[in-house]
Amino acid sequence: MKHHYKFCFGPWNISEGQDPYGPTTRPAQTFDWKLAQLKKLGFDAMMFHDDDAVPDIDSKSESQIRKEAKELKKRLDGEGIVAEMVAPRLWFAPQTIDGAYTSNDKRHRQYAIDRSKRCIDIGKILGTDLIVLWLAREGTYIREAKDGRRSVELLVEAFDAMLAYDKKARLSIEPKPNEPMDHAYLPTIGHALAIAQLTRDPKRVGCLIESAHAILAGIDPADEIDFAMSFGKLWSLHLNDQNGLKYDQDRPFGCTNLRSAFDQVRALERNGYGKNGEYVCFDVHPFRTTKVEHWMAHLDNSRRTFLRLLEKVRSYDEKQAKSLIANRDYQALDQMVIEHLLGK
Ligand code: XLS
Ligand code: MG
């Protein structure tokens, strides 16, 4: 089947099986090994955190960071692999314990902005203007610990500092309602697109939808796609799945709710996602039980499921669906979708 979609994942999607209750279940692998897996599976691009691109970034000078980013760019070019985006990992360092841009400590807020600028430098060298902001610790454990109104101002200040630092950079906010925080400040796409309007250059502030994050907010991921794309603001995508309101599971795409996955692919198709060069990324993790020899299956399977669902979207009987809708026979429409997904 002919299609225009290009696929992507990040090095953290080849995780080693650690959870809060136990150690790793698979051996650590080098970045080169991960890159080779991406090539082998025929994916097109890799996503990077700033410290995936330049390890131990906080201990390195600006010139060292640039030097290492240039070396990485050479390697990626040699392999024919594109860097889709770079994201500042603002949730690991001791300076981000109480949040990054919204920390109550001014020096820590400055750390977060400085680090974001280094992330933009890396993006520039790797050839991407897309900076993804998963605002992991921008929220509270205790609501009274921060002033919510002030936090919005601090977020806008930080975004403005990034937009001013590089006139080409585009910020793609990845909302998530909770975890690691009790409540996050930008829980949904509506929040991300609303705060974009307060920045110095709203045109360069868009969003990234992660299916599981929408599910955790009790929102339909397909509706989030339609909403973001109505504003022309869906610049990246993390497809995966999530079984209810639990810890963030990052399950393979379609693994829990096939019908919702079908609706997501259908929304992407009707909005022409990918036609401006956007990538379909899978932010999925192998199960803890996964053996080394099956390590890449969750990524391969997510893409297979996506492509199978694309066939289902394209062979969906739109005419029949329209006439059922006109007759308000949603009972039959419901069954038609189920039987279409079940196949003959
Ligand atoms: C966490 C996020 C994170 C971002 C990139 O849920 O998926 O990995 O995608 O910073
Ligand atoms: Mg993600």
Side-chain angles (χ1 to χ4, degrees), residues 246-274:
K246 296 181 180 150
Y247 62 95
D248 188 351
Q249 297 184 306
D250 293 329
R251 290 159 83 87
F253 181 54
C255 131
T256 303
N257 190 337
L258 202 54
R259 184 172 181 169
S260 164
F262 167 75
D263 289 332
Q264 290 171 64
V265 178
R266 199 156 171 250
L268 294 170
E269 271 281 278
R270 76 170 146 252
N271 286 290
Y273 183 82

Side-chain angles (χ1 to χ4, degrees), residues 171-175 189 192-193 205-209 228 233-236:
L171 309 181
S172 203
I173 299 171
E174 178 180 353
I189 292 302
L193 298 191
V205 184
C207 66
L208 179 162
I209 292 169
K233 292 267 193 160
L234 187 58
W235 298 339
S236 187

Side-chain angles (χ1 to χ4, degrees), residues 43-183:
F43 276 66
D44 307 281
M46 192 168 242
M47 320 186 253
F48 289 94
H49 289 109
D50 51 1
D51 59 357
D52 293 322
V54 179
D56 300 320
I57 189 167
D58 282 335
S59 69
K60 291 175 182 164
S61 67
E62 270 185 59
S63 63
Q64 181 68 17
I65 292 171
R66 285 174 205 267
K67 183 171 162 271
E68 289 187 31
K70 280 183 194 154
E71 283 161 12
L72 173 61
K73 171 70 172 151
K74 237 187 242 158
R75 267 161 75 195
L76 293 177
D77 285 349
E79 302 277 353
I81 290 181
V82 169
E84 191 248 354
M85 62 83 166
V86 187
R89 196 194 297 273
L90 292 174
W91 54 94
F92 255 66
Q95 294 93 324
T96 58
I97 286 175
D98 190 26
Y101 310 131
T102 62
S103 169
N104 278 328
D105 186 324
K106 193 168 189 296
R107 285 164 311 163
H108 292 169
R109 295 200 298 272
Q110 193 56 51
Y111 161 84
I113 291 176
D114 291 342
R115 177 139 172 190
S116 304
K117 289 181 180 169
R118 298 297 76 76
C119 178
I120 292 173
D121 295 340
I122 294 171
K124 233 176 171 171
I125 292 167
L126 297 187
T128 177
D129 60 1
L130 197 62
I131 304 299
V132 167
L133 300 176
W134 173 45
L135 302 170
R137 296 197 192 276
E138 314 298 1
T140 51
Y141 299 106
I142 298 296
R143 253 303 172 247
E144 298 78 13
K146 288 183 187 173
D147 175 335
R149 169 70 194 257
R150 175 88 182 116
S151 292
V152 173
E153 287 164 11
L154 291 172
L155 287 169
V156 173
E157 269 174 36
F159 300 159
D160 279 349
M162 288 182 251
L163 294 167
Y165 182 67
D166 179 351
K167 297 282 170 330
K168 292 227 167 79
R170 290 181 300 145
L171 309 181
S172 203
I173 299 171
E174 178 180 353
K176 183 180 178 188
N178 63 294
E179 202 202 18
M181 307 310 288
D182 178 39
H183 285 291

